[in-house]
C-alpha cells in the first residue's frame, strides 16, 4: 500500500459523520460564567443538551476538582461503567486523597479500562484529566482497543468548585490554588481536544447546562446486529454490470429501470436484502452502471454496501486528491466523464458515506471487503478501516510484484462468519468460518453470492475476460482452497465450549490431554467424525427385592420431570456405533473433503474404526446406502448423506479382548473349581460330616457363576468364519446368510436415530418419527438383498444386516400403561435381552426451571447386570451395598456430553468449519476421561 493509500486512514474515524464535532464546542457553548464582577443577567430557559455517546467508547470526563464529575457520572452511567481515580487511589493506599499513590492508582485504572474495552464494554474515566499528558494516555488506550475516545468537559466557575470542595469533609482544606491551576490547564486544553484525538467533544459550561444535559448512547454505524436478513451477499463486481444483473435475477430479484432503461434498483419479492462487499468499480466495462444500480438499491433500503479499496481510491479522486490512475481507475474515470456532474457528485457522496464493515444477524455475520479478525469486529478506528479495505500484508512481494497477503483466515477462530472479497480465488470455499466471494468475474471467472442464513452459494460465469489478471487465480492458503483444517490450539489446555443447550461447558486440561492421545493415535479422519454419542445414565436405583434397576424408577423419574409420554426401546446386545453413510463415492469428497471413493465412516463411541479392513466398512455402508435408496429416504430428506446412531452386534466384534481376559476367565475358573468343591463336599457328607449349609452356599455360588457365563455368552456369536470369544463358541443366536455381506454374515446393525442430514440436525425430531423412518430403511433390505441374489437372512423381523429396534409407548401418568411397560421389560429380559432405554417421545425437553431433561435412561435386566457387578451381586447383602450408588456425577456427565453432541450437530448443519464442529466432538471425548463409576 502506498503512502497515498494510507494517508486517508492515519487516525481518521471510520465514518465521516463521526468526525464532526458536537454542538458543545468551545466556540458555540454559550457565554462564559467565570467573571464574578459581571452583574447577573436574566437568561432564557435552556433547552436540554443531548450528549451523544457511542455504545462502545472510552468516555473521558474532564474538569477541575469539585466540578461535579462523579455526580454527573453516577447520574448518567451505570456504576460498573465508571472508573474513578479516587476509588483506584483508595484501592492501592486505603486513602482516596493520598496523592502520592496517584501513579499506582492510574496504573490500576488503565488496566481495568483496557480489560473492559477489550471485552466491548462502554467505559467512563472519572478523573480531573485537565493535563494533556493524562488525556494522551487515555486516547492511546482507546486507539489500542479500536474504540472512539469521547470527551465530556464540565467547565465550572471557580467559586462553584471551591464551594463544593468546602462542603466535603475530606477536601475542606484543599488550597484554592489547586482549583485555579486546574482551571488554567482546562482553559488551555479546550481548543485542542479534537487535535489530541477525541472524536466527540461535549463542553458543558456552568451548573445549568450540566443539570439539563442528557447522555444518549448511540449505536455504532457498523452495528446492524438487529438486522437478521435473510441476506444475499455479493462478491467483487468491478464494473461487470451485465453479470450483476444476471446474478440478481438468479437470486430472485426483480430489476427496476428508469425511463432510459437503465437498472436503478432491484427488489426481492420475499424481502431479502442484498449486501455488496465492495470493489464495485474499475477494470470492467460499466462501472457507472454498477454504481447506479447499487446506489439505487441502497437508497431504497434493498441493499447494504461496504467500501472496497477501489471505491476508496475513486472517492479520493472525486474529492480532488492526487492518486495514481492504475489498476483500472483510468477506465472508470473515462466512463464517469460521460456522465453528468450531478451523477459524479452523487457517487462521491455515496462513497463518502460507506462504513468499513457491518456486524449483522445478532453478531453472527460480519461483512467487509478484505476480511477482518475477530478483535476488530464492531470496532471503530483508522486501523480497523484500513484492514477492512486492504487486509494485511507480510511486507514481501511475489514473483508478479504484488504484495504477499497475510493469511489471516487460517488463524481465524471467531464465532461470527466473516464474508469478504478483495483477493480473487478460483472458487468460494469456507475456511475457518470465513468465505471469500471474489471469484474473479472481471478476470473471466465468475460472480458469486452467498445466501444467508442458508449458506448456499450461487454464481454466474463471466461473459468474457474483461481485464487480464496480473497473475493466475489461485488460492494462497496452504493446502489449497480448504486451507489448514485443524490446529492443536483448538483443543489443548483447559477449554470452554459454548453450547446452545447448556451454556458454557468446561473441559479440564488433564482430560483434554487424555482425549488428544486417543484422538490423534486411534481415531478416524476428523473430517469424517462430526459427532460422538454421549454416555447414558441408568435409572434411579430400585428398592424392588432382588433388583438393582427396575422400570418403575425410570417412569417415576420422567413423571417427576413433567414428561408424560415416553418410548421404551430395546437395548441391543452390542456396541454403540455411529455410521456416516454417503449416497455415492463423490459425496464424501465434496462435502467432507476426504479422498474420492471413501463411502463414509463407521466408528465407535471413542471415534475408532470398527473394522480394520476398509472393505468390511465399505460393504456395510453400501448395504445401508442401498436400503436408503430403496426406501426413498435420500429424496424425502433432501440429502446426499445420513448420520446414524446405532448399535452394532455382536458385542464381541469390539470387546473380544474383554470377553477373553475377564468374562471368559471368570467362567472358566468357576467351571473348573465348583465341580471339585461340590464333589469334595459330597464325599464329606457321605462320611457323616455335617456340610449341608456349606454345600448349599457353594451350590448357590456355582449357580450364580453359571448364570454369569450364560449372560456374557449371549453377547458373542460367530461372524463369518471367525469365532468371537476365543473358546469353543456357541452357535449364532440368529442365522446369518445376508446376501452380499460375505465376511459380515452374522453382523447386525440396529439404527435407532437419524442424527443429521445435509443442512440440518434431526436430533430434535420425535423418537417415534425417527423410528418410523428407520423402520422403512430396515424393511427395504429384503428387496435389496433379493436384487443381490440371495435371501434376506431367514428371520422376518431382522432381515440380513439391519435389525429392528423393538419398542413400546408408555404414559407415565397412566398406571395401566406403566404396568404394561414393566411387563414388556420383564418379558424382554427373561428371554435373554439386555434391557431397555427409556426416552421422552419428544426430544430436547426442559424442566420447569429450564434445565435439560435426561435424553434417555437405561434400565438393564437383572441377569445382564451380573456381567457388570459380578456373579453374586443379587445376594441380599451385596444388593444392600450396591444400592448406595452415587448417580449425580454420571447424570451430569450424560447431560453435558448430550449438549456437546447437539452443538456439534448444529454447527455441522449450519455449515460451520471443521474446527468448530471438532471442538464440540473433542470435548465429548475429553469428558469421557472424567472419573466416574464405570459400572453405571
Amino acid at each position: 500500500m502506498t503512502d497515498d493509500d494510507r494517508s486517508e486512514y492515519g487516525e481518521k474515524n471510520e465514518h465521516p459523520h463521526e468526525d464532526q464535532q458536537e454542538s458543545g464546542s468551545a466556540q458555540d457553548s454559550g457565554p462564559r460564567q467565570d467573571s464574578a464582577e459581571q452583574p447577573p443577567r436574566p437568561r432564557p430557559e435552556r433547552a436540554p443538551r443531548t450528549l451523544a455517546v457511542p455504545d462502545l467508547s472510552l468516555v473521558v470526563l474532564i474538569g477541575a476538582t469539585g466540578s461535579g464529575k462523579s455526580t454527573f457520572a453516577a447520574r448518567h452511567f451505570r456504576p460498573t461503567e465508571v472508573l474513578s481515580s479516587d476509588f483506584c487511589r483508595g484501592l492501592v493506599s486505603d486513602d482516596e486523597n493520598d496523592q502520592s499513590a496517584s501513579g499506582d492508582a492510574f496504573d490500576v485504572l488503565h488496566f481495568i479500562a483496557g480489560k473492559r474495552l477489550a471485552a466491548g464494554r462502554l467505559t467512563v474515566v472519572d478523573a480531573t484529566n485537565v493535563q494533556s499528558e493524562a488525556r494522551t494516555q487515555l486516547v492511546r488506550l482507546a486507539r489500542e482497543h479500536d474504540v472512539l475516545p469521547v470527551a465530556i468537559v464540565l467547565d465550572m466557575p471557580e467559586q462553584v468548585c471551591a464551594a463544593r470542595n468546602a462542603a466535603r469533609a475530606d477536601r475542606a482544606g484543599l488550597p484554592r490554588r489547586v482549583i485555579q491551576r486546574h482551571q488554567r490547564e482546562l482553559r488551555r486544553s479546550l481548543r485542542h481536544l479534537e487535535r489530541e484525538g477525541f472524536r466527540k467533544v461535549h463542553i458543558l459550561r456552568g451548573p445549568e447546562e450540566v443539570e439539563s444535559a442528557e447522555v444518549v448512547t448511540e449505536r455504532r454505524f457498523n452495528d446492524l446486529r438487529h438486522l437478521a436478513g435473510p441476506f444475499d451477499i455479493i462478491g467483487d463486481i468491478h464494473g461487470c454490470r451485465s453479470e450483476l444483473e444476471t446474478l440478481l435475477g438468479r437470486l430472485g430479484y426483480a430489476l427496476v429501470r428508469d425511463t432510459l432503461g437503465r437498472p436503478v434498483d432491484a427488489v426481492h419479492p420475499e424481502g431479502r436484502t442484498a449486501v455488496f462487499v465492495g470493489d464495485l468499480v474499475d477494470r470492467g466495462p460499466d462501472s457507472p452502471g454498477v454504481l447506479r444500480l447499487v446506489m439505487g438499491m441502497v437508497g431504497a433500503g434493498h441493499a447494504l454496501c461496504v467500501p472496497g479499496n477501489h471505491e476508496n481510491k475513486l472517492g479520493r479522486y472525486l474529492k480532488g486528491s492526487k492518486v495514481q490512475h492504475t489498476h483500472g481507475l483510468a477506465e472508470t474515470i473515462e466512463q464517469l466523464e460521460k456522465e453528468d456532474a450531478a451523477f459524479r457528485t452523487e457517487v462521491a457522496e455515496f462513497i463518502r458515506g460507506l462504513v468499513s464493515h457491518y456486524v449483522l444477524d445478532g453478531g453472527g455475520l460480519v461483512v467487509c471487503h478484505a476480511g477482518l479478525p475477530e478483535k476488530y469486529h464492531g470496532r471503530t478506528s483508522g486501523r480497523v478501516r484500513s484492514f477492512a479495505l486492504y487486509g494485511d500484508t507480510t511486507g514481501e512481494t511475489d514473483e508478479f510484484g504484488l504484495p504477499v497477503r497475510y493469511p489471516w483466515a487460517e488463524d481465524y477462530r471467531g464465532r461470527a462468519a466473516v464474508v469478504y472479497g478483495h483477493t480473487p480465488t478460483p472458487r468460494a470455499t469456507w475456511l475457518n468460518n470465513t468465505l471469500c466471494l471474489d471469484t474473479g468475474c472481471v478476470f473471466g471467472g465468475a460472480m458469486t453470492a452467498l445466501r444467508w442464513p442458508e449458506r448456499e452459494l450461487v454464481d454466474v460465469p463471466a461473459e468474457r475476460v474483461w481485464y487480464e489478471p496480473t497473475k493466475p487465480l489461485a488460492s494462497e492458503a496452504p493446502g489449497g482452497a480448504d486451507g489448514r483444517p485443524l490446529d492443536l490450539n483448538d483443543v489443548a489446555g483447559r477449554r470452554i465450549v459454548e453450547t446452545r443447550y447448556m451454556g458454557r461447558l468446561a473441559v479440564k486440561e488433564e482430560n483434554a490431554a487424555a482425549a488428544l492421545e486417543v484422538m490423534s493415535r486411534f481415531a478416524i479422519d476428523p473430517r469424517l467424525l462430526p459427532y460422538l454419542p454421549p454416555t447414558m445414565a441408568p435409572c434411579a436405583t430400585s428398592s424392588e427385592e432382588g433388583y438393582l434397576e427396575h422400570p418403575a424408577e425410570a417412569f417415576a423419574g420422567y413423571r417427576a420431570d413433567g414428561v408424560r409420554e415416553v418410548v421404551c426401546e430395546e437395548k441391543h446386545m452390542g456396541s454403540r456405533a455411529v455410521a456416516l453413510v454417503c449416497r455415492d463415492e463423490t459425496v464424501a469428497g465434496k462435502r467432507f473433503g476426504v479422498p474420492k471413493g471413501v463411502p463414509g465412516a463407521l466408528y465407535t463411541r471413542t471415534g475408532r474404526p470398527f473394522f480394520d479392513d476398509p472393505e468390511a466398512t465399505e460393504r456395510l455402508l453400501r448395504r445401508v446406502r442401498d436400503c436408503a435408496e430403496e426406501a426413498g429416504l435420500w429424496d424425502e430428506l433432501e440429502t446426499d448423506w445420513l448420520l446414524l446412531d446405532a448399535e452394532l452386534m455382536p458385542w464381541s466384534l469390539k470387546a473380544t479382548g474383554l470377553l477373553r481376559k475377564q468374562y471368559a476367565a471368570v467362567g472358566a475358573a468357576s467351571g473348573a473349581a465348583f465341580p471339585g468343591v461340590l464333589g469334595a463336599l459330597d464325599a464329606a457328607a457321605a462320611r457323616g460330616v455335617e456340610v449341608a449349609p456349606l454345600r448349599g452356599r457353594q451350590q448357590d455360588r456355582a449357580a450364580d457363576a453359571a448364570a454369569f457365563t450364560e449372560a456374557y455368552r449371549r453377547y458373542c456369536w460367530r461372524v463369518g468364519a471367525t469365532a468371537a470369544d476365543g473358546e469353543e463358541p456357541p452357535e449364532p443366536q440368529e442365522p446369518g446368510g445376508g446376501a452380499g455381506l460375505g465376511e459380515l454374515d452374522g453382523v447386525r446393525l440396529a439404527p435407532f436415530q437419524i442424527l443429521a442430514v445435509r443442512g440440518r440436525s434431526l436430533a430434535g425430531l420425535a423418537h417415534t418419527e425417527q423410528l418410523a423412518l428407520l423402520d422403512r430403511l430396515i424393511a427395504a433390505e429384503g428387496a435389496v438383498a433379493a436384487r443381490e441374489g440371495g435371501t434376506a437372512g431367514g428371520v422376518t423381523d431382522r432381515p440380513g444386516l439391519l435389525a429392528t429396534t423393538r419398542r413400546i409407548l408408555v404414559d407415565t401418568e397412566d398406571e395401566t400403561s406403566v404396568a404394561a411397560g414393566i411387563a414388556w421389560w420383564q418379558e424382554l429380559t427373561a428371554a435373554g435381552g439386555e434391557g431397555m432405554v427409556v426416552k421422552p417421545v419428544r426430544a430436547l425437553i426442559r424442566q420447569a426451571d429450564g434445565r435439560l431433561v435426561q435424553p434417555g435412561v437405561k434400565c438393564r435386566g437383572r441377569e445382564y447386570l451380573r456381567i457388570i457387578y459380578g456373579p453374586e451381586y443379587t445376594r441380599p447383602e451385596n444388593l444392600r451395598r450396591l444400592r448406595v450408588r452415587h448417580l449425580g456425577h454420571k447424570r451430569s456427565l450424560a447431560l453435558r456430553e448430550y449438549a456437546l453432541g447437539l452443538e456439534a450437530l448444529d454447527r455441522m448443519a449450519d455449515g460451520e468449519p471443521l474446527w468448530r464442529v471438532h471442538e464440540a466432538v473433542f470435548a465429548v471425548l475429553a469428558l469421557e476421561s472424567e472419573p466416574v463409576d464405570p459400572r453405571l
Side-chain angles (χ1 to χ4, degrees):
M1 191 185 306
T2 65
D3 291 338
D4 184 50
D5 290 330
R6 290 192 182 275
S7 61
E8 183 80 359
Y9 303 103
E11 287 298 336
K12 289 278 187 179
N13 186 32
E14 72 149 35
H15 195 284
H17 302 303
E18 293 182 353
D19 283 327
Q20 297 175 2
Q21 183 174 326
E22 293 296 316
S23 58
S25 66
Q27 288 77 24
D28 62 1
S29 58
R32 300 276 293 274
Q33 299 184 21
D34 57 342
S35 175
E37 286 74 24
Q38 292 184 352
R41 294 178 295 175
R43 300 187 180 191
E45 191 170 327
R46 294 182 183 272
R49 282 281 305 278
T50 299
L51 313 182
V53 172
D55 56 0
L56 175 54
S57 58
L58 179 64
V59 179
V60 179
L61 301 182
I62 304 173
T65 177
S67 58
K69 298 181 298 300
S70 297
T71 302
F72 182 88
R75 181 186 306 150
H76 297 287
F77 300 99
R78 299 175 184 171
T80 53
E81 294 174 335
V82 180
L83 300 178
S84 165
S85 60
D86 290 344
F87 178 77
C88 292
R89 198 176 288 112
L91 281 179
V92 300
S93 70
D94 293 329
D95 183 358
E96 293 188 356
N97 294 306
D98 184 0
Q99 297 301 313
S100 65
S102 291
D104 291 337
F106 279 98
D107 287 344
V108 171
L109 186 149
H110 292 159
F111 177 80
I112 298 175
K115 291 296 183 182
R116 285 187 58 84
L117 295 176
R121 306 294 183 187
L122 175 70
T123 303
V124 180
V125 176
D126 174 15
T128 57
N129 295 315
V130 293
Q131 296 179 332
S132 61
E133 294 83 0
R135 295 191 300 270
T136 298
Q137 295 182 59
L138 295 172
V139 170
R140 185 184 305 119
L141 185 65
R143 289 174 176 169
E144 287 175 0
H145 293 89
D146 301 290
V147 302
L148 293 179
V150 176
I152 298 181
V153 182
L154 276 63
D155 186 7
M156 290 292 182
E158 177 185 328
Q159 60 269 30
V160 172
C161 295
R164 289 176 176 174
N165 281 320
R168 292 180 52 177
D170 57 339
R171 294 189 182 177
L174 185 73
R176 187 74 171 240
R177 64 177 182 275
V178 174
I179 301 172
Q180 294 170 344
R181 174 167 52 82
H182 286 177
Q183 294 279 14
R184 290 194 301 271
E185 291 171 334
L186 178 63
R187 296 287 183 270
R188 286 195 296 265
S189 301
L190 287 179
R191 67 182 63 186
H192 304 300
L193 292 176
E194 286 189 351
R195 193 182 308 165
E196 291 177 4
F198 288 99
R199 288 296 179 260
K200 287 180 179 289
V201 178
H202 303 285
I203 301 179
L204 302 173
R205 300 191 186 276
E208 293 179 3
E209 284 196 0
V210 172
E211 287 296 325
S212 65
E214 180 181 355
V215 173
V216 177
T217 56
E218 59 183 12
R219 190 188 298 271
R220 285 155 282 160
F221 288 98
N222 55 36
D223 183 3
L224 299 183
R225 288 174 294 176
H226 58 290
L227 299 183
F231 301 110
D232 298 304
I233 309 167
I234 298 175
D236 298 36
I237 300 171
H238 283 297
C240 299
R241 177 187 54 78
S242 180
E243 287 90 339
L244 174 59
E245 292 182 26
T246 303
L247 179 60
L248 287 171
R250 284 200 58 188
L251 292 169
Y253 289 80
L255 292 173
V256 178
R257 300 182 183 273
D258 63 10
T259 56
L260 300 178
R262 299 174 300 187
V264 293
D265 193 6
V267 183
H268 198 284
E270 298 174 4
R272 299 179 70 92
T273 301
V275 185
F276 297 94
V277 303
D279 276 6
L280 310 174
V281 301
D282 295 349
R283 296 175 175 155
D286 190 4
S287 291
V290 172
L291 286 167
R292 183 176 288 107
L293 174 55
V294 173
M295 290 191 303
M297 293 179 69
V298 172
H302 300 144
L304 300 168
C305 184
V306 297
N309 55 302
H310 286 263
E311 281 78 54
N312 170 53
K313 194 171 184 180
L314 175 61
R316 289 186 286 118
Y317 165 78
L318 293 174
K319 194 169 63 174
S321 301
K322 185 177 180 180
V323 295
Q324 297 178 2
H325 296 191
T326 55
H327 304 298
L329 179 60
E331 289 83 352
T332 300
I333 292 174
E334 181 181 351
Q335 294 164 12
L336 282 173
E337 286 176 349
K338 299 175 184 178
E339 304 288 335
D340 57 34
F343 180 77
R344 291 194 294 272
T345 300
E346 186 181 354
V347 169
E349 287 299 314
F350 173 72
I351 293 174
R352 182 174 177 271
L354 295 177
V355 178
S356 68
H357 70 285
Y358 284 121
V359 181
L360 301 159
D361 196 9
L365 174 65
V366 172
V367 178
C368 53
H369 178 62
L372 207 62
E374 187 176 31
K375 65 180 181 180
Y376 291 156
H377 295 178
R379 303 286 170 150
T380 306
S381 72
R383 174 169 51 192
V384 172
R385 184 176 179 90
S386 179
F387 199 110
L389 283 171
Y390 299 99
D392 198 7
T393 61
T394 65
E396 304 168 298
T397 55
D398 60 18
E399 66 271 27
F400 302 99
L402 299 175
V404 176
R405 304 192 188 282
Y406 179 76
W408 66 274
E410 288 184 45
D411 300 325
Y412 183 76
R413 294 295 184 269
R415 295 187 61 188
V418 180
V419 183
Y420 62 104
H422 188 56
T423 304
T425 184
R427 60 190 177 95
T429 306
W430 285 99
L431 174 59
N432 293 337
N433 215 19
T434 75
L435 181 67
C436 178
L437 288 178
D438 184 0
T439 47
C441 181
V442 76
F443 301 126
M447 188 177 297
T448 302
L450 171 71
R451 293 170 63 85
W452 181 274
E454 300 88 345
R455 290 185 178 240
E456 175 188 348
L457 290 170
V458 179
D459 59 45
V460 296
E463 295 179 358
R464 51 165 287 190
V465 176
W466 299 102
Y467 197 91
E468 289 294 337
T470 304
K471 66 176 182 179
L473 298 184
S475 173
E476 298 179 354
D482 295 325
R484 183 178 66 243
L486 295 175
D487 190 281
L488 180 64
N489 292 328
D490 296 334
V491 295
R494 185 177 186 273
R495 311 296 301 172
I496 298 293
V497 182
E498 292 278 355
T499 68
R500 304 165 209 212
Y501 295 95
M502 285 191 72
R504 295 161 59 88
L505 296 178
V507 176
K508 296 179 181 178
E509 182 175 3
E510 58 269 26
N511 295 340
L516 185 60
E517 170 78 6
V518 173
M519 189 72 76
S520 60
R521 294 186 59 191
F522 307 113
I524 65 172
D525 189 323
R527 293 172 292 184
L528 296 173
L529 188 62
Y531 174 82
L532 283 179
T535 188
M536 183 174 291
C539 62
T541 304
S542 176
S543 58
E544 292 279 337
E545 184 177 353
Y547 289 93
L548 193 60
E549 294 180 8
H550 193 273
E553 278 69 31
F555 299 143
Y558 277 122
R559 184 169 58 249
D561 288 337
V563 178
R564 178 165 184 168
E565 201 173 19
V566 298
V567 58
C568 305
E569 299 179 7
E570 170 189 11
K571 197 172 191 302
H572 296 283
M573 297 185 294
S575 304
R576 192 77 171 266
V578 178
L580 176 62
V581 186
C582 297
R583 189 170 190 175
D584 58 57
E585 64 178 11
T586 66
V587 172
K590 289 180 180 178
R591 171 58 183 86
F592 300 101
V594 296
K596 183 179 178 181
V598 175
L602 180 71
Y603 56 89
T604 69
R605 282 198 62 234
T606 56
R608 306 178 191 222
F610 257 104
F611 300 117
D612 295 329
D613 180 10
E615 288 295 326
T617 300
E618 184 175 356
R619 196 177 302 118
L620 185 148
L621 294 177
R622 188 190 309 125
R623 173 60 64 90
V624 179
R625 177 193 69 195
D626 293 344
C627 291
E629 190 75 51
E630 180 70 23
L633 294 183
W634 297 119
D635 295 332
E636 180 177 331
L637 297 175
E638 299 179 338
T639 186
D640 50 12
W641 57 268
L642 297 170
L643 189 66
L644 303 176
D645 204 352
E647 197 85 3
L648 189 67
M649 298 169 282
W651 188 37
S652 50
L653 274 176
K654 187 184 94 169
T656 300
L658 183 64
L659 285 164
R660 286 176 176 171
K661 296 179 181 179
Q662 182 170 322
Y663 300 140
V666 171
S670 63
F674 283 116
V677 170
L678 293 175
L681 290 172
D682 287 341
R687 294 195 303 270
V689 179
E690 178 55 45
V691 294
L694 177 59
R695 190 180 186 284
R697 290 196 299 271
Q698 295 306 314
Q699 279 184 317
D700 290 342
R701 295 186 67 196
D704 288 340
F708 174 84
T709 301
E710 183 182 357
Y712 87 76
R713 284 172 70 85
R714 295 192 185 102
Y715 290 83
C716 51
W717 59 78
R718 292 184 185 274
V719 174
T722 62
D725 62 358
E727 299 184 72
E728 186 64 29
E731 290 300 315
Q733 287 185 322
E734 300 169 15
L741 294 178
E743 292 297 313
L744 294 181
D745 285 352
V747 172
R748 300 287 180 267
L749 182 74
F752 52 82
Q753 186 172 14
I754 304 177
L755 295 164
V757 296
R758 183 185 63 192
R760 57 197 173 113
S761 167
L762 297 185
L765 196 63
H767 288 290
T768 48
E769 298 179 49
Q770 291 271 4
L771 292 169
L773 289 171
L774 292 169
D775 283 346
R776 290 167 49 195
L777 178 78
I778 296 164
E781 190 176 14
V784 171
R787 281 201 307 270
E788 293 177 357
T791 65
V795 178
T796 56
D797 64 335
R798 294 193 175 210
L801 171 73
L802 300 180
T804 300
T805 297
R806 292 175 287 176
R807 66 269 192 182
I808 183 174
L809 293 177
V810 171
D811 183 342
T812 62
E813 296 183 7
D814 183 335
E815 293 183 5
T816 303
S817 181
V818 168
I822 294 173
W824 186 78
W825 175 80
Q826 290 171 334
E827 293 172 7
L828 198 68
T829 56
E834 178 176 326
M836 68 182 183
V837 176
V838 184
K839 304 175 181 178
V841 170
R842 292 188 301 108
L844 310 179
I845 294 182
R846 294 186 181 274
Q847 300 180 38
D849 59 3
R851 291 182 298 170
L852 275 176
V853 170
Q854 288 286 345
V857 294
K858 54 190 177 184
C859 184
R860 296 167 288 184
R862 184 174 186 267
E863 291 307 311
Y864 168 76
L865 287 176
R866 288 191 192 278
I867 305 175
I868 305 301
Y869 287 99
E872 301 173 8
Y873 93 99
T874 55
R875 297 187 174 219
E877 64 274 16
N878 291 334
L879 275 177
R880 281 194 298 272
R881 176 174 51 83
L882 292 173
R883 281 195 172 104
V884 183
R885 303 194 298 174
H886 302 285
L887 298 178
H889 189 184
K890 181 72 172 182
R891 288 174 173 171
S892 169
L893 186 63
L895 280 176
R896 284 179 285 150
E897 291 185 5
Y898 176 58
L900 287 165
L902 293 174
E903 184 65 25
L905 294 174
D906 285 339
R907 291 181 183 185
M908 180 174 63
D910 290 342
E912 296 199 34
L914 176 63
W915 78 267
R916 285 272 294 163
V917 178
H918 188 70
E919 179 186 44
V921 174
F922 185 89
V924 173
L925 185 58
L927 291 186
E928 280 293 296
S929 300
E930 288 194 4
V932 66
D933 187 346
R935 301 172 299 179
L936 295 178

